[in-house]
């Protein structure tokens, strides 16, 4: 059976990790069971190459990836899974690589089981990192462009013209592009301006950077998904632009002076792509560029991303779609990463239950 073959592929990979991840160092099932807090028979069932191996839940694969990302998991002879916050940059990169590989093997096995039985084998739940797409599908980033007047100023720099100067959210784009590539090594990640889009781009995993003022696709998608959150570009109003919830609550950025931004308001949305429900739509926007950057950093900054992702999993679980409106605070011109485990950062949360809930 194809499903069993794919389950065995995951089982073999887990066994190879235990026996050969580190040259000259073989981890026993007993040691691994102590680190993961599970029984030896359960470890054995996940590694079984005969019959129909058990498919581990996603949170166990998260623990596998963290454990085998560093030899420090065996420091002082006591096997343990180090918190992600304690991993160094190279260890964190290895953890991401391993988790991506194991998650894809798990997803392949579950999809095959579902196809053979006609019903879900397990509820996969959300991935550990919201920017990891286990299906390996293409990813399209659609970024806001600078207004024509600003773009013309950039054009005057020829022959040193750089094409990416036309994009409005370069900080966010640079941060997110690298993270998406690291978390999805098998997935092509394409950058597009609205005027460059084709039908294929819009049926991939779509990531929209920037609000409706400069990104027409963000405006179009927000109309289609019909959220209770609306971005209002009231630039000439008494308090300026704002996010509105259910036509009642308004959340404004905080400025000390005209150009001194103390606090922005950012918005993160995740749901199915309206053009292809087997792919996702993600929106990162804010009233200002630093709000967009804060939303991106909430799920890419290694000091906060783990706890923020865990908060999303705990709060939204297997919801079909969800969104979070967040404060993004500044220290001078430095954007501080929002901590979504703190109530003071979360201005509004919304979710749509999945059909299975």
């Amino acid at each position: 059976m194809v499903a069993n073959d794919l389950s065995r592929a995951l089982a073999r990979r887990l066994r190879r990790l235990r026996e050969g991840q580190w040259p000259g160092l073989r981890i026993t099932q007993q040691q691994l069971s102590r680190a993961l807090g599970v029984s030896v028979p359960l470890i054995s069932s996940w590694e079984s190459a005969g019959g129909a191996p058990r498919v581990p839940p996603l949170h166990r694969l998260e623990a596998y990836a963290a454990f085998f990302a560093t030899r420090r998991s065996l420091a002082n002879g006591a096997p343990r899974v180090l918190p992600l916050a304690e991993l160094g940059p190279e260890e964190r990169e290895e953890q991401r690589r391993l988790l991506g590989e194991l998650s894809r093997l798990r997803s392949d096995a579950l999809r095959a089981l579902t196809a053979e039985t006609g019903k879900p084998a397990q509820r996969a739940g959300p991935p550990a990192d919201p920017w990891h797409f286990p299906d390996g599908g293409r990813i399209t980033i659609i970024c806001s462009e600078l207004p024509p007047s600003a773009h013309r100023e950039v054009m005057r720099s020829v022959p040193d013209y750089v094409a990416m100067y036309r994009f409005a959210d370069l900080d966010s784009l640079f941060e997110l592009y690298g993270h998406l590539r690291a978390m999805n090594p098998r997935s092509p990640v394409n950058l597009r301006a609205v005027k460059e889009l084709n039908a294929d781009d819009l049926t991939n995993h779509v990531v929209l950077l920037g609000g409706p003022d400069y990104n027409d696709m963000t405006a179009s998608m927000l109309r289609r998904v019909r959220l209770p959150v609306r971005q209002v570009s009231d630039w000439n109003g008494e308090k300026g632009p704002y996010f509105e919830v259910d036509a009642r609550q308004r959340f404004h950025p905080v400025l000390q002076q005209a150009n001194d931004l103390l606090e922005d308001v950012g918005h993160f949305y995740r749901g199915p792509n309206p053009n292809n429900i087997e792919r996702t739509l993600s929106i990162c926007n804010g009233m200002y560029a630093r709000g967009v950057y804060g939303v991106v950093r909430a799920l890419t900054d290694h000091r906060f991303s783990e706890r923020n992702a865990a908060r999303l999993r705990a709060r939204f679980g297997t919801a079909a779609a969800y969104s979070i409106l967040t404060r993004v605070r500044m220290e001078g011109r430095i954007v501080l990463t929002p901590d979504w485990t703190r109530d003071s950062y979360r201005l509004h949360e919304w979710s749509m239950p999945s059909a299975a809930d």
Side-chain angles (χ1 to χ4, degrees):
M1 295 174 64
V2 173
N4 282 346
D5 290 342
L6 292 170
S7 296
R8 292 188 193 107
L10 174 58
R12 288 192 296 270
R13 183 64 180 112
L14 294 177
R15 187 180 185 90
R16 286 199 306 271
L17 273 176
R18 185 175 58 78
E19 296 182 341
Q21 174 69 353
W22 298 305
L25 181 60
R26 183 178 183 275
I27 308 301
T28 67
Q29 289 186 343
Q30 179 68 43
Q31 287 175 307
L32 187 58
S33 71
R34 288 170 58 193
L36 271 58
V38 299
S39 68
V40 171
L42 188 57
I43 295 288
S44 181
S45 73
W46 293 339
E47 295 184 357
S48 174
R54 294 185 62 175
V55 178
L58 185 60
H59 71 278
R60 297 301 185 190
L61 295 185
E62 294 175 22
Y64 262 92
F67 181 84
F68 287 106
T70 173
R71 282 178 176 254
R72 294 191 297 122
S73 299
L74 292 170
N76 302 319
R80 69 189 184 102
V81 176
L82 295 176
L84 296 188
E86 294 184 15
L87 299 182
E90 292 183 1
E91 295 169 335
R92 185 60 188 270
E93 184 63 29
E94 178 66 2
Q95 181 270 338
R96 288 175 175 170
R97 185 190 69 79
L98 288 173
L99 181 56
E101 179 188 1
L102 297 177
S103 297
R104 286 191 296 274
L105 289 169
R106 180 179 184 272
S107 296
D108 290 345
L110 292 180
R111 278 199 302 272
L113 286 167
T114 298
E116 288 188 359
T117 63
K119 58 183 180 180
Q122 298 181 28
R123 294 192 65 179
D129 188 312
W131 293 121
H132 170 56
F133 302 109
D135 55 43
R138 290 176 174 268
I139 302 167
T140 303
I141 303 175
I142 305 174
C143 197
S144 301
E145 287 191 272
L146 290 168
S149 58
H151 195 193
R152 280 196 296 272
E153 290 297 320
V154 172
M155 286 289 289
R156 293 175 185 172
S157 66
V158 293
D160 288 331
Y161 173 67
V162 176
M164 289 184 65
Y165 283 164
R166 62 199 168 109
F167 292 114
D169 292 288
L170 283 179
D171 287 347
S172 300
L173 176 58
F174 183 82
E175 177 79 16
L176 185 57
Y177 182 86
H179 190 79
L180 285 169
R181 291 287 296 139
M183 292 305 302
N184 305 276
R186 294 195 309 174
S187 298
V189 181
N190 300 313
L191 171 62
R192 296 285 187 267
V194 173
K195 62 187 178 185
E196 299 168 343
L197 292 169
N198 58 48
D200 289 344
D201 294 325
L202 292 175
T203 53
N204 297 331
H205 291 292
V206 170
V207 181
L208 299 172
L209 286 181
D213 284 353
Y214 291 161
N215 194 328
D216 292 340
M217 191 54 59
T218 299
S220 174
M221 289 294 189
L222 285 173
R223 286 193 296 268
R224 296 182 67 182
V225 298
R226 297 186 179 182
L227 290 168
V229 177
R230 187 169 70 102
Q231 187 169 347
V232 181
S233 303
D234 187 16
W235 296 98
N236 296 319
E238 181 180 353
K239 294 185 177 181
Y242 56 89
F243 280 93
E244 184 178 69
V245 176
D246 292 326
R248 294 193 302 271
Q249 291 180 286
R250 293 183 178 183
F251 299 98
H252 293 264
V254 178
L255 289 90
Q256 183 169 291
Q257 298 174 354
N259 295 317
D260 190 3
L261 182 64
L262 301 181
E263 182 179 294
D264 203 351
V265 181
H267 183 218
F268 178 72
Y269 168 84
R270 167 64 58 79
N273 182 343
N275 300 311
N276 179 1
I277 61 172
E278 293 187 358
R279 297 293 184 264
T280 61
L281 169 67
S282 306
I283 301 175
C284 300
N285 62 337
M287 296 312 314
Y288 296 93
R290 279 174 278 179
V292 181
Y293 185 60
V295 169
V296 169
R297 288 282 286 169
L299 294 171
T300 61
D301 182 345
H302 69 90
R303 296 162 300 177
F304 294 89
S305 59
E306 179 186 9
R307 74 181 79 160
N308 285 339
R311 175 70 177 75
L312 294 181
R313 292 197 301 274
R315 173 64 176 83
F316 301 118
T318 56
Y322 62 87
S323 83
I324 180 168
L325 201 62
T326 180
R327 299 183 194 277
V328 179
R329 295 187 170 114
M330 315 294 154
E331 190 61 53
R333 292 189 174 273
I334 299 172
V335 178
L336 302 178
T337 303
D339 183 349
W340 290 341
T341 66
R342 297 174 58 186
D343 294 342
S344 61
Y345 278 94
R346 302 189 315 271
L347 298 172
H348 178 263
E349 295 174 296
W350 168 90
S351 64
M352 176 185 294
S354 68
D357 290 337

